Amino acid sequence: MLFPTNGKNGFYPEVGLLLSESGEYKVTVTFDATGADCNVTSDTRTRKLTVLPALTPPVITGPQSICYNTAPLQLTATAATGGSVTPSYSYQWQSSPDNSTWTNVGSNSFSYQPPVLTSSTYYRISATDTGTYGCGTVTSTIVLVTVNPVPTVNIPSNQSVCDGSSTTAVAFTGTATAYTWTNDQISI
């Protein structure tokens, strides 16, 4: 849409239009010649403006936590909405090890099955409006699949301690949910 440029020659396009601003607009231009006794008025022109709904990104299933060297559940997404009058979208799944560098991993599907993972990985899906007006590309929120590392135990050294004394600690790394201690195959 074009609007006058503060009384100067020409017009400028309006940017940031809202859906509510769709409709017919009319313009009549009158030229007043300075110092002359003539005014010229143009015919009224009508222009129909349709502001298309904003392109809305797909929504994908939530975050997951999995064990090391296993495959997460399949990721699924909703369809994008908005954009062109007769919308058509193309989809692209992406993954990232650091939420910064993205790699294309699957396309034109509402679902994606991530492979077996050994490290935490971020996923997202983008939708591109390929309809009549090509209203751009939007990207979903990011989902993190957290890979829990394999817990490890430092090899403890053999100890001899006096009755009633404490032993030195045994160090653990990783995320453990339970600890089982045994003494000659008997749980203690």
Side-chain angles (χ1 to χ4, degrees):
M1 186 162 151
L2 300 176
F3 291 95
T5 57
N6 299 325
K8 298 179 182 177
N9 292 334
F11 293 85
Y12 66 92
E14 177 64 21
V15 294
L17 291 169
L18 302 175
L19 190 61
S20 61
E21 295 176 289
S22 292
E24 284 193 7
Y25 290 85
K26 297 181 180 193
V27 62
T28 303
V29 180
T30 302
F31 294 97
D32 184 11
T34 306
D37 193 18
C38 61
N39 290 329
V40 178
T41 302
S42 71
D43 292 331
T44 299
R45 302 289 185 219
T46 301
R47 179 179 186 184
K48 182 177 180 182
L49 174 68
T50 303
V51 179
L52 302 171
L55 186 56
T56 316
V59 175
I60 59 177
T61 50
Q64 300 178 40
S65 289
I66 62 170
C67 293
Y68 179 86
N69 207 29
T70 60
L73 297 174
Q74 184 177 57
L75 301 173
T76 58
T78 61
T81 59
S84 295
V85 175
T86 52
S88 176
Y89 309 102
S90 66
Y91 296 93
Q92 178 66 62
W93 286 92
Q94 297 178 315
S95 70
S96 171
D98 57 8
N99 196 17
S100 178
T101 304
W102 293 91
T103 302
N104 294 339
V105 292
S107 61
N108 273 340
S109 176
F110 292 121
S111 61
Y112 173 68
Q113 178 59 61
V116 168
L117 298 176
T118 56
S119 62
S120 296
T121 305
Y122 297 88
Y123 291 94
R124 68 184 185 185
I125 185 173
S126 62
T128 300
D129 179 356
T130 58
T132 309
Y133 298 102
C135 290
T137 299
V138 289
T139 303
S140 70
T141 55
I142 295 164
V143 168
L144 174 62
V145 176
T146 303
V147 175
N148 293 315
V150 175
T152 59
V153 178
N154 292 342
I155 299 174
S157 60
N158 292 331
Q159 296 180 24
S160 296
V161 295
C162 296
D163 185 33
S165 298
S166 299
T167 65
T168 57
V170 176
F172 298 89
T173 61
T175 306
T177 56
Y179 304 94
T180 304
W181 291 89
T182 59
N183 180 8
D184 291 331
Q185 309 303 323
I186 299 171
S187 291
I188 55 174

